[in-house]
Amino acid sequence: MAVVREFTLPDLGEGLTEAVIVQWLVEVGEVVAVDQPVVEVETAKAMVEVPCPYGGVVTARFGAAGTEVPVGAPLVTVAVGAAPEDSAGRGSAPGSANGSASVAAPADPAPGAEGAGTDAAGSGNVLVGYGTSGAAARRRRILPSAAEAPARRSATPAPPATTNGTATNGTATNGTATGDAPGTAAADGPRTVAVISPLVRRIAREHDLDLREVRGSGRDGLILRTDVESAVRALGERQSAAARTAGTADAAGPVPGEERIPLKGLRGAAAEKFSRSRREIPDATCWVDADATDLLATRRAMNVPGAPKVSLLALLARICTAALARYPELNATVDTTAQEIVRLPAVHLGFAAQTDRGLVVPVVRDAQGRTVEQLSAEIARLTDAARAGKLSPAELSRGTFTLNNYGVFGVDGSTPILNHPEAAMLGVGRIAAKPWVHDGELAVREVVQLSFTFDHRVCDGGIAGGFLRYVADCVEQPALLLRSL
């Protein structure tokens, strides 16, 4: 006999709590194998194909493309051990989500059957590289006894019944109501309000308070005067907040043709990180102009025919790692809970990359141990993956320092927002031909503006100025890097 298994959105790692469905990779009634990807989702970090740990026939899908699904919410149900024709009828039942049928949950198996079925049908390998725990144990709902039910109904407002064909918490209901069993307040109509005092009723009436919405704190759910007064205060606060919101909206007034863009997914994660950085980090910025003529000549000399190409960003990354070796105070973060500065042993170098999905910051791991050629190859690989939306969460997190080349946008300078919780960021503007005094004479040279933003909690201006000056010296005289090889 087929057993229906529910597969929920797993923990995707890195503290992610939700994902947006991009596209379904399977249809209802389709046979899937263990660990076959069933849906592609977009998290705040990357696009991920989610494999299902069960093999069998897909009986239902939950959520259409564009739906935001929290971790732990159901994605699909799979009939394990069923032939495709066994579940074909389920796929066309009315009341499904996204054109998929809802499936009634099977009866609890005998003791030991749950674990055996999971081992047989599921791998537990939901996302390779992140790992999953075993299937969550079934939780049984303990219903109140017949003697307790009236008291509970009198103290608690009845839940609204779900209408035919609607969904609750993203789960299709198969066209049935989800209220309590017959005999509850939802089925019997208005319940009896547990109030004895006429004063309590008068206070509620004067404030247009529905006593059915008040939870009594007295014995057997009896509604006391303090309960009503608390409810009146809460009602007043809600009305005041609604009035303030309405007043603000009326003052601004709707603008014809305005467009509202949800702050979700990558855009939402970036907005939250920018806001947190501004709230928590007291940053400061210093800058300097540098003659990059010799750096460009060095790159041309490296890019000989037949050798792997070296990018300018890789040369700047190598300069950053050398500078951080001299000023390790800047490869750090602040633990606000412990009130400590944490200096980090390895340089995980992030670099800003603009993609169709928005700004992302891929991270080059252990950049301090890589050559210029290795840095160039890794930056190119991560850039291609970022543009294709294929970066993993691990490749987008836990950086310790960021290199921001905004010169590609044709601008000279910037005061960027630090990539929380990092303590520093080097910004590089465009390289342009400008008049420059070189060897005591005025000449046309390739000049770049370098800006350095840092967390003032981890260092003072002397450290920051020393770091930026060393970077500028290496840009003007790349041979200085030979000292740190």
Side-chain angles (χ1 to χ4, degrees):
M1 179 179 176
V3 178
V4 178
R5 301 288 187 193
E6 183 181 79
F7 173 49
T8 60
L9 179 65
D11 181 1
L12 302 176
E14 304 297 335
L16 301 174
T17 58
E18 68 276 325
V20 177
I21 296 175
V22 176
Q23 63 174 335
W24 287 101
L25 305 179
V26 295
E27 299 291 338
V28 173
E30 184 175 337
V31 178
V32 294
V34 173
D35 286 344
Q36 176 179 336
V38 294
V39 64
E40 184 179 31
V41 300
E42 179 181 12
T43 71
K45 300 284 187 180
M47 305 271 276
V48 180
E49 289 186 353
V50 182
C52 178
Y54 306 126
V57 179
V58 177
T59 58
R61 302 184 316 192
F62 299 91
T67 302
E68 186 173 80
V69 182
V71 170
L75 286 175
V76 295
T77 53
V78 178
V80 178
E85 57 271 15
D86 293 340
S87 59
R90 298 190 186 101
S92 59
S96 61
N98 192 26
S100 306
S102 60
V103 180
D108 287 344
E114 178 71 19
T118 302
D119 294 340
S123 69
N125 228 6
V126 176
L127 283 179
V128 177
Y130 299 101
T132 60
S133 59
R138 288 183 180 271
R139 293 182 295 178
R140 296 188 179 182
R141 181 181 176 187
I142 301 175
L143 296 175
S145 64
E148 294 174 342
R152 293 196 179 209
R153 287 198 298 271
S154 64
T156 308
T162 303
T163 59
N164 185 17
T166 62
T168 303
N169 292 334
T171 306
T173 61
N174 199 25
T176 60
T178 59
D180 290 340
T184 62
D188 295 340
R191 65 181 177 84
T192 302
V193 179
V195 178
I196 296 177
S197 170
L199 177 62
V200 170
R201 291 186 180 277
R202 181 170 63 82
I203 295 174
R205 187 169 56 253
E206 290 174 351
H207 294 86
D208 293 327
L209 180 65
D210 187 352
L211 286 173
R212 291 173 298 179
E213 298 178 357
V214 179
R215 183 182 296 273
S217 60
R219 185 175 180 179
D220 295 330
L222 182 66
I223 299 176
L224 306 178
R225 178 176 179 176
T226 54
D227 301 327
V228 174
E229 290 174 343
S230 297
V232 168
R233 285 194 298 270
L235 179 62
E237 292 173 358
R238 290 196 299 270
Q239 292 174 344
S240 298
R244 287 194 299 269
T245 303
T248 303
D250 292 341
V255 178
E258 69 179 11
E259 180 183 6
R260 290 179 175 265
I261 301 172
L263 283 174
K264 299 193 303 182
L266 181 63
R267 189 186 297 271
E272 172 57 29
K273 203 162 192 178
F274 295 152
S275 300
R276 185 177 182 185
S277 179
R278 274 288 186 242
R279 286 194 306 267
E280 295 184 8
I281 300 178
D283 56 5
T285 302
C286 52
W287 54 89
V288 67
D289 290 340
D291 181 0
T293 306
D294 290 346
L295 182 67
L296 295 178
T298 300
R299 177 173 178 259
R300 287 193 296 269
M302 288 182 172
N303 289 334
V304 294
K309 297 295 183 181
V310 172
S311 67
L312 182 61
L313 192 62
L315 283 171
L316 293 168
R318 184 65 187 87
I319 292 173
C320 285
T321 58
L324 288 172
R326 282 195 167 212
Y327 299 94
E329 299 91 340
L330 296 167
N331 193 55
T333 187
V334 176
D335 185 341
T336 54
T337 303
Q339 288 296 299
E340 294 174 339
I341 296 173
V342 183
R343 292 184 182 173
L344 304 167
V347 177
H348 301 316
L349 184 69
F351 63 94
Q354 191 70 35
T355 70
D356 293 339
R357 297 174 59 234
L359 180 68
V360 295
V361 184
V363 178
V364 178
R365 300 288 171 196
D366 299 309
Q368 79 283 355
R370 298 177 186 257
T371 64
V372 173
E373 190 173 291
Q374 291 170 338
L375 287 169
S376 185
E378 182 66 359
I379 289 172
R381 183 190 72 81
L382 291 171
T383 301
D384 291 341
R387 289 171 179 165
K390 298 298 183 182
L391 286 173
S392 69
E395 292 171 325
L396 284 165
S397 57
R398 297 180 182 174
T400 64
F401 184 92
T402 296
L403 175 60
N404 189 356
N405 180 21
Y406 44 76
V408 296
F409 301 119
V411 298
D412 294 324
S414 173
T415 55
I417 300 174
L418 288 178
N419 188 21
H420 185 279
E422 296 172 14
M425 175 187 294
L426 178 69
V428 182
R430 63 171 180 161
I431 299 177
K434 295 181 180 180
W436 190 267
V437 176
H438 178 68
D439 291 338
E441 296 182 355
L442 188 63
V444 176
R445 306 286 286 181
E446 300 294 331
V447 179
V448 62
Q449 184 181 97
L450 305 171
S451 63
F452 184 62
T453 301
F454 61 99
D455 185 341
H456 226 316
R457 295 174 297 180
V458 305
C459 70
D460 55 23
I463 296 294
F467 175 93
L468 183 58
R469 186 64 258 171
Y470 178 78
V471 169
D473 290 343
C474 289
V475 167
E476 294 183 341
Q477 304 175 63
L480 291 175
L481 287 173
L482 295 174
R483 290 188 175 186
S484 59
L485 292 179

